[in-house]
Amino acid sequence: GYSLHSLQESKIGLIAQLSLSGPPCNAFGTDFENLTIQVTYETDSRLRVRIADSGNKQFTIPESIIARPPPPTTSFTQSSDLVFNYESSPFSFWVTRRSNPDAIPLFDTRLSSLPETPLAPVITDDTSTALDGFPLVFEDQYLQLTSSLPLNTNIYGLGEVIASSGFRRNVASNGGSIQTLWARDIADPVDQNMYGNHPIYLEHRFNETTNEAQSHGVFLFSSSGADILLLTPPGASQSLIQYRMLGGVLDFYFFSGPSPHAVIEQYGALVGLPSWIPSWAFGFHLCRWGYISLNETMQQVQAMRAAEIPLEVMWNDIDLYHAFRDFTSDPVSFPGDEMRAFIQELASNNQHYIPILDAAIPHPTNVTDVYDPYIRGHEMGTFIKNPDGSEYIGKVWPGYTVFPDWFASSTQGWWTESLKNWSDGGVEYSGIWLDMNEISSFCQGSCGTGADLSNTSVPFLLPGDTGAPVIDYPECYDALVFGPSGNVTINGTLTCTSNSTLSTLAKRGVGAGAEKGVNLNTPPYAIHNGAGDLSINTLATNATHAGGFVELDVHNMWGMMEEKATHLALQQLQPGKRPVIIARSTFPSSGKWSGHWLGDNFSKWEYLYYNIQGILQFQIFQIPFVGADTCGFNGNTDEELCNRWMQLSAFVPFYRNHNERGALSQEPYRWNSVADASRTAIATRYTLLPYWTTLFANASLRGTPPVRALWYEFPTEPELFAVDKQFLVGGDILVTPVLTPNVSTVEGHFPGRGQVTWRDFYTHAAVNASNGTATLSAPLGHINVHIRGGSALLLHAMPGYTTTETRTGPFSLLVSLESTEHAFGTAYIDDGITNPPSESRDITFSATTNQLHISSDGNFTVEQTLQQITILGVNEKPVKVSVSGENIENWQFMSGLQKLVISNVSIDLNSAQTISW
């Protein structure tokens, strides 16, 4: 470990030196003898603790890549709820709350607070989880820091991951779990590293004695490859978190909360708040890998309209390209002039178009091969290099490829120019889909250096090609019993029976950390990368970027940097409009630039459930515009699964149906039951559009998460801490989807322990859930949605085929009074396009006994009027109803539902109004 000396305190914190105590460890590198620790009280709720080598030789993320708030000019050392404490020798530190100094520290690296060592492997089949001690280790290729945690505490975040434990991370079961940070192109694995990397966690602590709860957050600002271990040794009285980093520095930020919303907002204030989302992006999106021509793409648009299923955005996958090359469209299948005409027709119908853009740029096959994006990029020096200065050449869909270097000063201009030329050539996109940006390469190392560049084949068969058919039957279907159709019913009999089994995909093994024969040469410590060697299916770790940065240090940021460059390009090319970008690989601050889809999932019921935890994770990561490939990407879906998934996805931020080449078609019009369910779900979604846009305005302005775990709103109800089969949209809409086949009911939690009234969104009937749960009717085609008592929701009264048509129609208001006869809600309205919003209006709805007050503030003029008001929880039939003092006759009262409906009014939302009854 280290000893602290040369302490200097200031009004914003302290700086001190750390010197190595005793002989160096040199476990996986060379120990630094001298470190510097800086402690900064940045705000009342944010504390920074940075430990770095005194010579500043280790990689740190440049401010030009991710800007951080400037140093504070005001002192928060006495007002912050976070307090930094330390011991000098051996150096350790712990963070406590000023408001509760005697509670278990939020973060505690003291040896006295950690289990006694040595310990045998805590995860018994993983020898790397043997724990020999807990000193601070700071080497050039290995950093280690350990903190104690309350026993089996509630941890959320640390991703991106599909965790078998669910949204609440596994800290204790079978010893615990490991979160590996290394961006990786892999079809949605369970308990492995995957596309994105987010070293932030939210911890929630509940005191059963006092019935008090508080949340806090811990963020390690590093792009290093890493293992983060969440462990509970056998018989220990505490759990622990251990960081094992391949490089960089230890740059921690602590967020005091104390609510989960506040933690997420405080994190957003640091890394950047989410970008503004245009209203059209909340519509329904349709895509698949396998629309092989413009004609087939147009047929989908026509078929959706013929089926009267709303379609907002049409997409194309890599079928669009000429020879799989970025910034092109195939001259035969997708000719540029015809693409322009098609996209302009979409626009005339208030619809939009988004194409794919892969990360790799094809290298010309010979001197006669003219491909302008490569030629210009080569001339401008925009591509990643080998250590000898030659271009790094990998292999992706078009064959041998090069990769943009976002650290090069010329790359932004080249990227913007390429996007402009693409649009000018006919692909007049409304947004961009960024794929393969982990970054993905199908070979190891610079395999194109010295190779035959004319060989453009990929090292595997594409799905749907001869030799690689997608022929798996829908999950739990038995072809030996029911024949080859794969239908959800045969002669009225359900084909997913109790004798069938739902598949469970394999979970992570030990990985590179202990596998024999794995290349462990660089770096010396082997993180648990699911692919083994860090350069498999991506760039080699010695690939070199402008400024001398190496891939080992910056690998995890490539996707975020591409998202930033694309966002800045779209701002220039589409001035005044909100960019729409959906990307796969993400990193802290990605939400400033992009949304995210949850990657190449599977057409399995298991993944319908995983959908929810992924969406909840990315709310913590400040990338709230997120969703899964509805009905599943890999494999063949079926009618029942697609029916349930189309319903669930209607209540998540990003709503897109997408599947793989060669699989069964799964557009929602393919089955009558799915078409019916989709029409109903999308109409409900468009009705709720003012609610969605208000939630996302709050995200862009303050970082408030639009989608929430149930316990976020009810933090003192421990029975909710692991619930991830339901979720809340905002604080007022509770969604209870069906996640298993062959059922017509679903169990749901109804938080509040009897003190909150939950009403069915469709029927307005109150739920009887006296014990906190209820069994709900859920026939195929119906998803249970409930509105919270005490809420007031502004809605669109007449959902149309597109969001634009919906927004031109009148408003309605749904008020759900609590038993105390109060309700409150807000709505944010702007034009849904302008970036950043120049004009907006905030409307507040406040109901008390027998009265509803509407207040309005802002400079945006709302042209549509409020034409209907529904008030639930009215105990007695009113004698009269008035609007702004004038009695009206157009009202109805339904005593069984305690429901007052005021119709055929025309209330101006630009001014204050009062409704009385």
Side-chain angles (χ1 to χ4, degrees):
Y2 289 80
S3 297
L4 182 144
H5 61 92
S6 304
L7 175 68
Q8 293 180 308
E9 295 190 20
S10 71
K11 70 174 186 178
I12 62 172
L14 62 84
I15 297 177
Q17 304 304 309
L18 302 176
S19 295
L20 194 64
S21 299
C25 177
N26 294 339
F28 299 103
T30 302
D31 286 84
F32 284 96
E33 293 191 4
N34 298 301
L35 308 176
T36 299
I37 179 171
Q38 284 182 284
V39 177
T40 308
Y41 291 85
E42 295 195 338
T43 71
D44 277 334
S45 59
R46 185 174 75 235
L47 172 70
R48 183 183 188 185
V49 178
R50 184 179 189 271
I51 303 173
D53 60 299
S54 297
N56 292 319
K57 294 181 178 179
Q58 292 288 92
F59 175 78
T60 59
I61 298 173
E63 286 273 350
S64 60
I65 305 304
I66 301 178
R68 272 85 82 195
T73 55
T74 303
S75 177
F76 299 102
T77 57
Q78 300 304 311
S79 59
S80 171
D81 194 36
L82 298 171
V83 179
F84 175 83
N85 311 270
Y86 68 93
E87 291 177 348
S88 295
S89 185
F91 170 72
S92 60
F93 73 92
W94 63 103
V95 177
T96 55
R97 286 190 187 274
R98 190 181 308 276
S99 59
N100 196 0
D102 297 327
I104 297 173
L106 308 186
F107 198 84
D108 191 350
T109 69
R110 290 175 292 182
L111 299 182
S112 59
S113 301
L114 290 157
E116 292 188 8
T117 54
L119 290 165
V122 179
I123 301 175
T124 55
D125 62 351
D126 186 345
T127 57
S128 76
T129 63
L131 303 173
D132 297 327
F134 301 113
L136 166 63
V137 179
F138 200 112
E139 300 174 351
D140 54 359
Q141 290 193 280
Y142 184 74
L143 284 69
Q144 180 177 299
L145 185 72
T146 311
S147 170
S148 65
L149 296 170
L151 185 65
N152 196 21
T153 190
N154 302 298
I155 296 283
Y156 308 87
L158 297 177
E160 179 180 6
V161 69
I162 298 171
S164 58
S165 63
F167 178 50
R168 181 181 182 272
R169 300 305 301 271
N170 173 24
V171 179
S173 178
N174 297 316
S177 59
I178 300 173
Q179 178 62 51
T180 297
L181 303 179
W182 190 255
R184 176 174 171 234
D185 171 9
I186 181 68
D188 288 16
V190 179
D191 290 339
Q192 294 185 23
N193 59 305
M194 46 194 296
Y195 315 111
N197 296 276
H198 297 275
I200 176 172
Y201 70 83
L202 186 160
E203 183 183 351
H204 185 64
R205 298 182 182 181
F206 172 64
N207 187 321
E208 293 184 2
T209 302
T210 63
N211 199 42
E212 294 177 339
Q214 290 183 317
S215 297
H216 67 273
V218 180
F219 170 50
L220 176 59
F221 188 60
S222 172
S223 58
S224 172
D227 281 339
I228 301 177
L229 288 70
L230 295 168
L231 301 176
T232 303
S237 59
Q238 71 276 86
S239 300
L240 62 88
I241 181 168
Q242 183 172 87
Y243 296 85
R244 299 177 179 180
M245 317 297 294
L246 297 184
V249 301
L250 296 170
D251 195 357
F252 284 97
Y253 289 85
F254 300 91
F255 309 103
S256 66
S259 71
H261 312 75
V263 172
I264 296 169
E265 291 168 351
Q266 290 155 12
Y267 175 61
L270 175 67
V271 299
L273 299 174
S275 62
W276 286 88
I277 304 296
S279 57
W280 61 262
F282 293 101
F284 175 67
H285 303 241
L286 181 62
C287 184
R288 84 164 294 173
W289 181 18
Y291 294 146
I292 60 173
S293 68
L294 175 56
N295 285 338
E296 187 172 358
T297 304
M298 293 170 63
Q299 288 168 9
Q300 306 310 315
V301 178
Q302 294 161 0
M304 290 289 288
R305 190 171 286 274
E308 297 181 342
I309 302 172
L311 173 63
E312 187 83 13
V313 191
M314 192 67 210
W315 296 48
N316 276 121
D317 207 314
I318 56 176
D319 315 273
L320 168 69
Y321 292 153
H322 176 51
F324 296 127
R325 293 183 167 192
D326 276 1
F327 306 114
T328 67
S329 64
D330 188 272
V332 176
S333 303
F334 294 89
D337 288 345
E338 293 181 25
M339 283 295 295
R340 180 182 290 106
F342 165 63
I343 295 170
Q344 290 179 357
E345 182 181 357
L346 286 176
S348 71
N349 292 318
N350 301 312
Q351 294 169 297
H352 299 79
Y353 179 78
I354 293 179
I356 194 170
L357 187 56
D358 276 341
I361 303 299
H363 192 293
T365 56
N366 54 53
V367 293
T368 63
D369 182 6
V370 178
Y371 175 60
D372 285 338
Y374 172 80
I375 294 170
R376 287 286 290 150
H378 177 76
E379 292 171 349
M380 298 169 70
T382 64
F383 301 128
I384 295 171
K385 306 293 193 295
N386 287 305
D388 64 3
S390 61
E391 285 177 347
Y392 185 102
I393 305 175
K395 198 168 196 180
V396 195
W397 301 118
Y400 290 106
T401 56
V402 293
F403 305 92
D405 178 6
W406 307 113
F407 288 93
S409 59
S410 57
T411 306
Q412 179 68 61
W414 163 79
W415 191 249
T416 303
E417 176 185 300
S418 299
L419 281 164
K420 181 180 186 301
N421 291 340
W422 196 23
S423 181
D424 290 346
V427 184
E428 296 180 351
Y429 46 78
S430 297
I432 295 292
W433 172 22
L434 299 175
D435 196 9
M436 310 288 284
N437 62 342
E438 290 73 31
I439 187 171
S440 178
S441 178
F442 298 158
C443 66
Q444 192 166 7
S446 185
C447 59
T449 300
D452 176 9
L453 299 179
S454 65
N455 178 10
T456 60
S457 63
V458 294
F460 49 81
L461 293 172
L462 301 183
D465 279 353
T466 302
V470 183
I471 57 173
D472 55 313
Y473 280 100
E475 191 175 12
C476 76
Y477 182 88
D478 189 340
L480 295 177
V481 175
F482 295 107
S485 74
N487 291 339
V488 68
T489 59
I490 301 291
N491 297 325
T493 301
L494 286 169
T495 55
C496 186
T497 68
S498 58
N499 297 323
S500 308
T501 56
L502 296 178
S503 64
T504 300
L505 299 187
K507 299 175 175 60
R508 176 182 59 81
V510 172
E515 287 180 356
K516 294 180 180 179
V518 174
N519 179 5
L520 304 179
N521 293 328
T522 304
Y525 174 74
I527 60 175
H528 290 64
N529 180 30
D533 188 351
L534 298 184
S535 62
I536 291 178
N537 212 33
T538 187
L539 305 192
T541 51
N542 67 348
T544 306
H545 299 255
F549 300 124
V550 294
E551 181 69 10
L552 177 62
D553 288 326
V554 303
H555 170 79
N556 287 336
M557 296 195 296
W558 199 96
M560 176 274 295
M561 295 178 72
E562 182 193 39
E563 291 141 25
K564 180 179 180 180
T566 306
H567 186 103
L568 295 176
L570 292 184
Q571 282 187 312
Q572 181 176 335
L573 298 174
Q574 302 173 348
K577 293 184 178 181
R578 302 172 191 178
V580 175
I581 301 166
I582 298 296
R584 195 167 72 175
S585 182
T586 57
F587 188 75
S589 79
S590 279
K592 284 181 66 175
W593 318 114
S594 172
H596 173 64
W597 97 102
L598 295 172
D600 295 346
N601 62 0
F602 292 81
S603 300
K604 306 288 185 185
W605 288 91
E606 182 180 10
Y607 277 80
L608 179 61
Y609 158 60
Y610 290 150
N611 192 156
I612 299 173
Q613 65 164 277
I615 290 162
L616 292 174
Q617 272 183 37
F618 275 84
Q619 308 303 301
I620 296 175
F621 303 155
Q622 283 292 356
I623 310 173
F625 193 65
V626 59
D629 281 347
T630 299
C631 302
F633 175 77
N634 286 296
N636 290 316
T637 195
D638 66 67
E639 180 180 355
E640 185 183 8
L641 176 60
C642 198
N643 188 307
R644 297 297 193 187
W645 213 325
M646 283 294 295
Q647 296 169 65
L648 184 150
S649 289
F651 294 91
V652 306
F654 174 53
Y655 186 12
R656 182 183 72 162
N657 182 316
H658 177 50
N659 72 321
E660 75 170 324
R661 185 176 187 261
L664 294 175
S665 297
Q666 64 184 41
E667 296 86 4
Y669 63 80
R670 297 286 178 178
W671 304 271
N672 289 336
S673 77
V674 178
D676 288 342
S678 300
R679 282 188 285 265
T680 300
I682 295 172
T684 304
R685 179 183 180 86
Y686 288 11
T687 297
L688 285 165
L689 190 59
Y691 186 58
W692 278 113
T693 54
T694 299
L695 292 172
F696 270 79
N698 290 335
S700 296
L701 291 168
R702 289 177 285 277
T704 310
V707 182
R708 303 167 194 173
L710 274 59
W711 70 263
Y712 286 17
E713 296 290 320
F714 302 90
T716 60
E717 299 182 20
E719 64 270 24
L720 303 177
F721 294 167
V723 171
D724 58 5
K725 294 183 178 180
Q726 295 171 269
F727 58 93
L728 287 162
V729 179
D732 297 329
I733 296 291
L734 174 63
V735 183
T736 308
V738 171
L739 302 173
T740 55
N742 197 21
V743 298
S744 57
T745 61
V746 63
E747 292 290 320
H749 291 268
F750 287 88
R753 295 181 172 176
Q755 302 304 304
V756 175
T757 304
W758 294 95
R759 295 182 171 95
D760 189 294
F761 182 79
Y762 310 103
T763 69
H764 300 156
V767 175
N768 181 10
S770 56
N771 65 348
T773 62
T775 300
L776 306 171
S777 176
L780 189 64
H782 177 71
I783 184 170
N784 278 279
V785 181
H786 291 83
I787 180 173
R788 182 178 181 175
S791 62
L793 305 182
L794 185 66
L795 307 172
H796 284 307
M798 299 172 59
Y801 191 79
T802 66
T803 60
T804 299
E805 293 162 48
T806 300
R807 283 171 58 90
T808 61
F811 289 103
S812 64
L813 183 67
L814 178 59
V815 179
S816 181
L817 297 174
E818 198 38 277
S819 55
T820 53
E821 297 194 48
H822 76 273
F824 180 82
T826 63
Y828 170 93
I829 302 178
D830 62 19
D831 65 6
I833 299 171
T834 305
N835 185 48
S838 56
E839 297 181 346
S840 63
R841 181 162 295 278
D842 291 295
I843 306 172
T844 300
F845 307 96
S846 180
T848 56
T849 305
N850 302 333
Q851 208 165 59
L852 169 67
H853 298 280
I854 302 175
S855 60
S856 183
D857 181 62
N859 57 357
F860 179 78
T861 300
V862 181
E863 296 180 357
Q864 296 75 27
T865 60
L866 177 61
Q867 293 192 357
Q868 185 180 76
I869 302 172
T870 300
I871 304 170
L872 308 177
V874 178
N875 292 322
E876 298 178 352
K877 182 178 180 178
V879 176
K880 64 179 180 178
V881 176
S882 65
V883 176
S884 296
E886 294 187 12
N887 291 345
I888 62 169
E889 302 298 328
N890 297 319
W891 59 271
Q892 280 184 296
F893 181 73
M894 284 146 269
S895 59
L897 293 173
Q898 297 184 320
K899 175 177 174 178
L900 172 64
V901 180
I902 304 169
S903 304
N904 299 320
V905 291
S906 184
I907 297 174
D908 182 4
L909 292 174
N910 298 292
S911 59
Q913 309 283 347
T914 299
I915 294 88
S916 303
W917 60 92

